[in-house]
Amino acid sequence: MSDKFYITTPIYYVNAKPHIGHAYTTIAADVLARLRRSQGWDVSFLTGTDEHGLKIQKKAEENGKDPQQFVDGISEEFKGLWRSLNIEYSGFIRTTDTRHMMAVQKVLQILYDKGAIYKGKYSGMYCVGCEQFKSENELIDGKCPDHDTMPERMEEECYLLKMADIQDELIRKIESDEFRIAPERYKNEILSFLKNQSLNDISISRKNVRWGVPLPFDSEQTTYVWIDAFLNYLTGIGWNGEIDDIPKEWPADVQFIGKDILRVHATIWPAILIHLGIGLPKMLFTHGHILSDGKKMSKTLGNAISIEEMLEKFGVDGTRYLLLSAGPFGQDIDVTMERMIENYNADLANGIGNITSRIVALNQKMTGGFVGMDFLKKDVVAYDDGTLRENLKNLRLDLELRDIMIHVQELNKYIADNKPWEVFKSDERKFAVIMEHSSRGLMFIANKLLPFMPATAEKIKEALATRQVEILFQRIK
Ligand code: MSP
């Protein structure tokens, strides 16, 4: 039996349409899932939509829609975008699924019965955009830096989850990398946060939010949206809330998140699991934000790049490539339309596109245009090489793409230096050797490219897997 590999994306809020930031995480997760699948792992890849909470309740009201009808529409848009981007997830969880909601209630009851949840009062500044309470030192000029809005003061009776008694265990698990937070600087950031203060117990319910999972032990209150949301990572693989029936996919091998949701994922999420006695995810991988010309993308600034526009200009594989190659995976990346057009032309049109048509045309020159037999077109079997292994240690998907482009340049240089079109006139055998070498090089590039640009890589492989190439290779045997 092959090893399991479980990868998740955050579940996306359905208060607005999907955007380029959501696409970035999901494409990265899809690339990793395809890579692991091609290496023979038994991959589960979960994504989905986060559909409860005040923010969504308000948005539905603004749109004059019933919340369920509203979230149904936007959740479909996410699925549609993932189809367009060729995302091969194995599960799509919606937090309004009855099965998920029932499991959430079961878990809350367990935590309540254990005494990990108790009734109390909570007061603080609440940012609806983040769906989180914010401490004074997280605000800039009294505003939430992520949403540029003034949080509302809120005080209400609610239920709280004990945090202090899991703090030491959490620190130990992070320090030892049993619960790995990557890249390293995020691990350090979280450790210094955890070591410098005692965690406050957190509110896990809301009194005045209708749009949520009702608490099983108090029908006046609904579950705080983040608690409901975290459990998706387990309910999405079929968990129904029974502690002795954890799905075999768990623990997650990699959970991708953006830096804005690191703190909650590194505190509240493991706290729930520790209280329940369930193992923590193996790795929380934090990526940066996509900026546009150094600034946060926003409609007001007019610098937002839409994913639809990218798809129209660059196609599916072009979009996947340009987003993942735009900068170090794990740091903020800056994109502009001009730079993307330049990179598209240099790396894809003149790079990979050009080398493929050159090699295929030269192969044809040799043998005249038969096509048909499947040669070289093998199933992708455990594709692996040293550079890939190194790049995957820290999930530097961008470096893997850079490595592919280096191979493209080298192959271009090899062809330019060896001038097969001239050699063809004088020495057929030598020509065949050059073309075999080039075709194998291109096949190597196509295999490496497969998880990133699946359709393009398949096309290259098919173009090489023709009768011409077979005949060509036979001549030199
Ligand atoms: N619903 C919560 C997550 C719950 S997971 C249990 C949420 N949703 S979100 O839709 O607001 O954001 C989802 C993800 O998109 C986050 O990881 C966030 O970092 C990412 N991005 C949102 N804007 C982004 C960019 N501009 N760039 C890159 N990623 C960004 O938070």
Side-chain angles (χ1 to χ4, degrees):
M1 226 181 74
S2 53
D3 284 335
K4 66 98 195 163
F5 192 82
Y6 177 33
I7 175 168
T8 65
T9 72
I11 47 171
Y12 304 107
Y13 283 132
V14 286
N15 59 311
K17 289 171 187 297
H19 59 66
I20 193 169
H22 304 136
Y24 183 59
T25 323
T26 312
I27 294 170
D30 184 60
V31 167
L32 188 60
R34 284 174 185 269
L35 247 162
R36 288 302 189 212
R37 244 180 251 132
S38 77
Q39 293 172 329
W41 298 65
D42 182 8
V43 173
S44 310
F45 167 20
L46 181 72
T47 189
T49 40
D50 192 354
E51 307 188 0
H52 288 125
L54 189 57
K55 173 154 78 173
I56 289 161
Q57 180 184 312
K58 283 186 168 172
K59 253 290 164 317
E61 277 162 16
E62 268 170 49
N63 282 272
K65 284 197 176 156
D66 153 69
Q68 188 65 54
Q69 188 197 2
F70 179 72
V71 299
D72 285 350
I74 301 206
S75 186
E76 268 315 305
E77 291 198 38
F78 274 91
K79 283 190 180 161
L81 178 61
W82 303 152
R83 266 192 302 276
S84 317
L85 282 166
N86 206 356
I87 305 294
E88 269 183 1
Y89 53 76
S90 52
F92 189 100
I93 174 85
R94 298 185 55 190
T95 53
T96 53
D97 286 347
T98 314
R99 206 180 46 72
H100 166 84
M101 291 172 64
M102 284 171 65
V104 170
Q105 288 188 321
K106 208 176 272 179
V107 170
L108 288 170
Q109 189 67 54
I110 296 170
L111 292 171
Y112 187 62
D113 293 345
K114 275 188 160 185
I117 287 178
Y118 66 95
K119 191 164 186 179
K121 227 184 200 158
Y122 199 95
S123 67
M125 302 295 282
Y126 194 80
C127 169
V128 182
C130 295
E131 292 279 19
Q132 280 176 50
F133 281 101
K134 296 273 156 177
S135 62
E136 291 295 338
N137 60 12
E138 285 174 284
L139 306 177
I140 297 175
D141 297 333
K143 289 182 174 174
C144 162
D146 286 340
H147 293 94
D148 204 29
T149 49
M150 220 53 114
E152 296 162 33
R153 173 148 297 279
M154 228 153 58
E155 180 170 333
E156 61 183 27
E157 218 176 47
C158 64
Y159 289 82
L160 294 112
L161 179 72
K162 291 185 179 165
M163 295 295 286
D165 45 351
I166 57 98
Q167 190 158 352
D168 290 340
E169 186 173 345
L170 181 56
I171 292 175
R172 270 198 313 278
K173 287 187 193 291
I174 297 174
E175 270 175 339
S176 67
D177 279 346
E178 180 186 332
F179 175 41
R180 182 175 167 209
I181 298 179
E184 193 76 8
R185 72 173 183 290
Y186 286 117
K187 169 179 171 178
N188 297 335
E189 190 183 298
I190 290 295
L191 279 174
S192 92
F193 169 75
L194 286 174
K195 286 177 176 175
N196 284 318
Q197 62 226 292
S198 344
L199 289 175
N200 291 327
D201 294 348
I202 60 127
S203 164
I204 60 99
S205 68
R206 299 295 310 274
K207 207 164 185 175
N208 300 311
V209 180
R210 268 179 306 111
W211 188 237
V213 181
L215 286 190
F217 41 81
D218 186 341
S219 56
E220 298 270 280
Q221 305 231 356
T222 56
T223 309
Y224 171 44
V225 61
W226 272 99
I227 303 290
D228 170 6
F230 285 130
L231 292 169
N232 95 84
Y233 297 134
L234 279 159
T235 61
I237 44 173
W239 191 48
N240 61 10
E242 300 286 345
I243 297 296
D244 51 11
D245 192 18
I246 306 293
K248 63 175 187 353
E249 292 86 343
W250 193 257
D253 293 81
V254 180
Q255 300 211 274
F256 276 128
I257 52 168
K259 62 178 187 179
D260 54 324
I261 57 173
L262 169 64
R263 178 84 64 86
V264 279
H265 272 84
T267 54
I268 306 178
W269 175 218
I272 299 173
L273 293 169
I274 293 174
H275 277 304
L276 290 170
I278 300 174
L280 303 191
K282 290 188 194 159
M283 189 207 279
L284 210 52
F285 188 92
T286 311
H287 64 74
H289 277 180
I290 303 185
L291 306 175
S292 172
D293 219 2
K295 298 189 199 74
K296 200 178 159 176
M297 283 189 207
S298 84
K299 288 202 186 100
T300 0
L301 287 176
N303 63 348
I305 294 173
S306 85
I307 190 74
E308 289 78 17
E309 189 183 352
M310 282 193 73
L311 278 166
E312 201 174 295
K313 275 204 166 74
F314 309 119
V316 181
D317 282 355
T319 302
R320 291 171 63 106
Y321 177 87
L322 291 170
L323 283 181
L324 288 196
S325 63
F329 193 56
Q331 294 178 25
D332 282 352
I333 60 167
D334 193 58
V335 296
T336 62
M337 203 31 114
E338 295 72 44
R339 246 195 329 266
M340 285 202 281
I341 293 173
E342 261 169 45
N343 292 343
Y344 179 84
N345 289 334
D347 296 350
L348 302 184
N350 300 328
I352 294 169
N354 191 32
I355 190 104
T356 304
S357 43
R358 253 174 127 182
I359 291 176
V360 171
L362 282 162
N363 282 346
Q364 264 168 358
K365 186 179 180 72
M366 176 73 181
T367 52
F370 332 54
V371 268
M373 239 178 78
D374 269 10
F375 179 71
L376 276 179
K377 190 185 157 197
K378 301 193 184 93
D379 288 333
V380 191
V381 273
Y383 174 70
D384 203 355
D385 71 338
T387 333
L388 174 68
R389 260 198 306 280
E390 204 42 49
N391 292 338
L392 279 187
K393 275 190 199 151
N394 294 308
L395 295 183
R396 289 295 302 271
L397 302 174
D398 56 301
L399 286 185
E400 183 56 18
L401 282 176
R402 193 181 298 169
D403 187 49
I404 296 174
M405 289 318 302
I406 291 172
H407 284 289
V408 171
Q409 283 153 15
E410 280 170 358
L411 190 51
N412 252 326
K413 184 167 179 326
Y414 173 82
I415 294 178
D417 290 350
N418 285 284
K419 301 189 175 52
W421 55 93
E422 280 179 15
V423 175
F424 176 67
K425 296 178 202 145
S426 54
D427 186 343
E428 263 200 28
R429 200 188 132 73
K430 190 168 168 207
F431 172 82
V433 173
I434 298 170
M435 291 322 297
E436 184 198 14
H437 188 78
S438 309
S439 301
R440 287 199 194 284
L442 186 58
M443 187 59 94
F444 175 77
I445 288 168
N447 277 331
K448 246 171 127 58
L449 205 56
L450 202 57
F452 295 90
M453 304 178 66
T456 307
E458 276 304 340
K459 263 191 224 145
I460 301 176
K461 286 166 68 107
E462 265 158 36
L464 285 172
T466 57
R467 184 148 173 75
Q468 300 87 299
V469 183
E470 185 189 24
I471 293 172
L472 187 69
F473 290 179
Q474 276 168 1
R475 295 216 183 165
I476 52 174
K477 290 277 136 58

